[in-house]
Amino acid sequence: QVQLVESGGGLVQAGESLTLSCVASGRFQRIAVMGWYRQAPGKQRELVARMTRGGVTNYADSAKGRFTISRDNAKNTALLQMNGLKAEDTGVYYCNAYEEAAGSPTVWGQGTQVTVSS
């Protein structure tokens, strides 16, 4: 099964940038989709961006134009480049992924905290 580890979170000021990294390890064949979700205090977890193995991307409206997701399929990694950070981007960012094999479970990382001070 896939195991995910995120890194790169931290405390930044509004307008600054951060890059989050997610590394997949364990026993698996091919990962179909890798994505980033965010959970702000008191709110539900929401999609930020995701990318298929073939490079198709989806972004939340709040992320469009500021965030960029990328993947390295050979290294089983996904990055989230976040520019122009705002206070409302604060939250715990989780990486998720699932394999191409039918019925594969969605796996989540432990999360990394991003705090943007205004």
Side-chain angles (χ1 to χ4, degrees):
Q1 185 172 330
V2 179
Q3 297 167 348
L4 303 173
V5 176
E6 305 101 330
S7 62
L11 172 63
V12 297
Q13 293 189 336
E16 294 184 338
S17 299
L18 275 177
T19 300
L20 305 183
S21 175
C22 175
V23 179
S25 63
R27 296 174 65 95
F28 57 89
Q29 297 195 2
R30 285 157 53 108
I31 297 176
V33 176
M34 295 187 78
W36 288 95
Y37 287 70
R38 172 175 67 209
Q39 187 163 19
K43 295 188 177 181
Q44 290 189 330
R45 196 173 297 186
E46 61 180 2
L47 172 70
V48 177
R50 63 185 176 195
M51 178 180 273
T52 69
R53 189 174 185 85
V56 177
T57 57
N58 294 102
Y59 289 93
D61 287 343
S62 61
K64 290 177 181 177
R66 298 187 300 127
F67 295 2
T68 303
I69 188 171
S70 60
R71 282 181 63 171
D72 185 328
N73 292 331
K75 296 181 179 179
N76 294 305
T77 59
L79 300 179
L80 183 67
Q81 173 68 44
M82 304 186 293
N83 299 324
L85 284 161
K86 305 175 182 180
E88 51 263 43
D89 294 319
T90 294
V92 179
Y93 283 69
Y94 296 91
C95 178
N96 94 339
Y98 58 88
E99 298 176 62
E100 289 183 337
S104 295
T106 297
V107 178
W108 294 88
Q110 81 287 351
T112 185
Q113 176 71 45
V114 172
T115 303
V116 184
S117 63
S118 57

